[in-house]
Structure formats: structure tokens, C-alpha cells
Amino acid sequence: MPASFDLSGRVALVTGANTGLGQAIAIALAAAGADIVAAGRTEPEETAARVHALGRRFFSIHADLADSAPMQDLATRAIAAFGQVDILVNNAGIIRRADALDVSEEDWDAVLDTNLKSLFFLSQALARHMRSLGCGLGRGKIVNVASLLSFQGGIRVPAYAASKSAVAGLTRALANEWAAHGINVNAIAPGYIETANTAALRADTARSAQILDRIPAGRWGRPDDLAGAAVFLASAASDYVHGVVLPVDGGWLAR
Ligand code: NAP
């Protein structure tokens, strides 16, 4: 591995690391040398075992990201785990499907609070800490998990599209402000990946075939397809990359 991709001595906080993309990203960062702090509402036992098997440290914090109020407390506990947090991966997210005419305020708030509001306040809390890393010069990596619906409208997921479009805008806004503090803020926009998030789509045979037909790579993505992009955006290899929303989508957006 080129030295610039090496994460030895770094600590990454990954939200929603018990399953799906968050689990794959946590394991990829650990394989590149990082210790992992996981934050979420389900105990990430399998992720812990796989990170330990890679010889890295792992610490789990119970957190409900639908409630943005305790984000400073979460950041404080994450920093206390191993003394610092160099990398934040804002991965946790939910999707609620309904026609726009039928979306309830409860579903709207749940999606926006989890996918956007907590992402902002956790980033803010950790950016204050990252500013002081690197012998006071600032050093930090924030990687947001966006979506193809950061670029497109989607079907029957208006709150999700709003949240993920906002994540793309926020990625650029924070990159503009925090590059000067030595903090890189970027995002990954996963395509259609086989996780719980897309289970309903894959169960709909007609819709699943339509989706597959549009993917130039000719297959749905797998969680570990995100590994390379995650390590890149978490490492020194991306030190001059700010405010990018990087699609990892099998070519979907190129169509
Ligand atoms: P997933 O398997 O459903 O995982 C979602 C993760 O978020 C889980 O760890 C979940 O925890 C956590 N989470 C949800 N609400 C939470 C809350 N209130 N508090 C704490 N944790 C919470 O789906 P995924 O596909 O891996 O999704 C990960 C991210 O990728 C999401 O932001 C999603 O929008 C994005 N994404 C996915 C795709 C795709 O094709 N799969 C495409 C584009 C973007 P629990 O297990 O406890 O629910």
C-alpha cells in the first residue's frame, strides 16, 4: 500500500457500523491501519470481531442519531475512547418510501433528523476537535455518505432525496470553511448496493430489473465496493481533495 493510504495511528468514528456500508467502511479503514469507534443503536458485534481480527482496536458507543441533541456528548465520548478522532464517517441513514402526496410529517422529520441534522451537528462537534490535531495545524477527514439522490430525484422517496441533496450541499459548504483548518470534507455517493436499505427494491422484480438494466457494470454494488473510495477520502492520499461528492455507482450516473 502506498504510504499516503496508510491509516496507522489514526482513529475513525463510523456511524451505523453494525451492518451494510458502514460495516464495510469500518473494516476497510481498519485494514488500512485505523482503530475504529462505532456509534449506533445496534451493538456491532460482528464488526468488532472483524476489526479485532485485523489487529486494530474497536470501541462501541450506543447512540440514536435520530436525536441530534447529544452529538457533542457523542463526540466527547468518541474522542475519549482512544484519545483522538482523526476521521469521521457519517454513514448512518434511513429511507422511507411513500408517494409525495402521502408523506407524513413524522417520516419527514425522522429522515431529515437522521440523515442531515445529526450529520451536521456531529461534524461540527468533531471539527472543533480536529482543528486542534496535527500539532495545532489542524488535521481531519470527514466523509459523508451521500447518494445518487444527491444528484437525482428518485421515485417515492422525497424526504430521502431532500436529505441526500442537502448532504451534497453541506459537504461543499463545510469543505469551504474547514479546509483552512486542515480538515477535508468530502462525500461518497453509493449507487445501488445490496444492503437492508435496498431490500425492498431488490424484492420488486420489475423495478430491480429496470435498475440493473441501467448499471453499466452489469451488477448491483456490494458493500465492499465502497472500500477503496472510503480509504482514499480518509487518508493523506486525498489531502488536496475538498468538497467532492464521489459516485461509486457502477457507472449509473454516466448513463
Ligand atoms: P442499512 O443496512 O439500512 O444501514 C443503515 C445504518 O444506519 C445501520 O447501521 C442503522 O442502524 C443506522 N441507523 C439508522 N438509523 C439510525 C439511528 N436513528 N441511530 C443510529 N443509527 C441508525 O443501509 P446501508 O445501505 O448500509 O446505508 C448506509 C448509508 O448509505 C445510508 O446513509 C444510506 O442512505 C446510504 N446509501 C445506501 C445506498 C444503498 O444502495 N444501499 C445507496 C446510497 C446511499 P440499525 O441497524 O440499528 O438500524
Side-chain angles (χ1 to χ4, degrees):
M1 187 192 310
S4 57
F5 289 91
D6 184 6
L7 298 178
S8 301
R10 301 289 198 254
V11 179
L13 171 60
V14 183
T15 65
N18 58 304
T19 186
L21 304 187
Q23 180 180 59
I25 290 170
I27 291 165
L29 300 183
D35 294 318
I36 305 297
V37 181
R41 59 188 177 181
T42 302
E43 195 52 33
E45 289 166 13
E46 185 185 319
T47 314
R50 293 179 65 182
V51 169
H52 283 140
L54 289 163
R56 306 316 320 169
R57 294 181 294 176
F58 186 90
F59 187 81
S60 170
I61 300 173
H62 188 270
D64 181 356
L65 295 158
D67 178 4
S68 62
M71 290 305 110
Q72 180 61 59
D73 179 57
L74 169 56
T76 303
R77 292 171 66 199
I79 294 161
F82 299 128
Q84 75 209 46
V85 171
D86 310 87
I87 300 158
L88 166 63
V89 180
N90 284 307
N91 163 78
I94 57 170
I95 191 163
R96 299 269 168 93
R97 298 175 198 282
D99 291 345
L101 290 174
D102 300 325
V103 171
S104 67
E105 187 171 349
E106 185 190 347
D107 277 354
W108 177 271
D109 286 344
V111 172
L112 271 291
D113 287 351
T114 307
N115 296 7
L116 182 64
K117 190 171 178 182
S118 289
L119 178 152
F120 173 74
F121 284 105
L122 185 57
S123 299
Q124 181 193 61
L126 278 166
R128 290 171 177 152
H129 161 71
M130 290 172 176
R131 253 191 328 189
S132 66
L133 295 175
C135 302
L137 298 174
R139 182 189 75 213
K141 301 278 179 178
I142 297 177
V143 182
N144 296 324
V145 177
S147 167
L148 295 180
L149 301 195
S150 299
F151 305 96
Q152 301 179 312
I155 299 170
R156 302 186 70 246
V157 286
Y160 184 83
S163 72
K164 294 297 185 177
S165 296
V167 166
L170 192 57
T171 297
R172 291 185 283 267
L174 299 183
N176 289 342
E177 286 202 37
W178 294 346
H181 299 309
I183 301 168
N184 298 74
V185 186
N186 291 292
I188 297 171
Y192 287 88
I193 317 285
E194 292 167 349
T195 69
N197 174 290
T198 53
L201 280 184
R202 283 178 288 117
D204 180 337
T205 323
R207 184 93 175 86
S208 179
Q210 281 172 355
I211 289 168
L212 194 56
D213 190 47
R214 193 197 143 134
I215 301 174
R219 65 169 176 84
W220 281 66
R222 295 182 287 266
D224 61 8
D225 283 318
L226 278 287
V231 171
F232 170 60
L233 292 177
S235 70
S238 61
D239 274 355
Y240 201 58
V241 179
H242 293 277
V244 156
V245 183
L246 175 62
V248 180
D249 65 351
W252 173 280
L253 287 174
R255 287 291 287 267

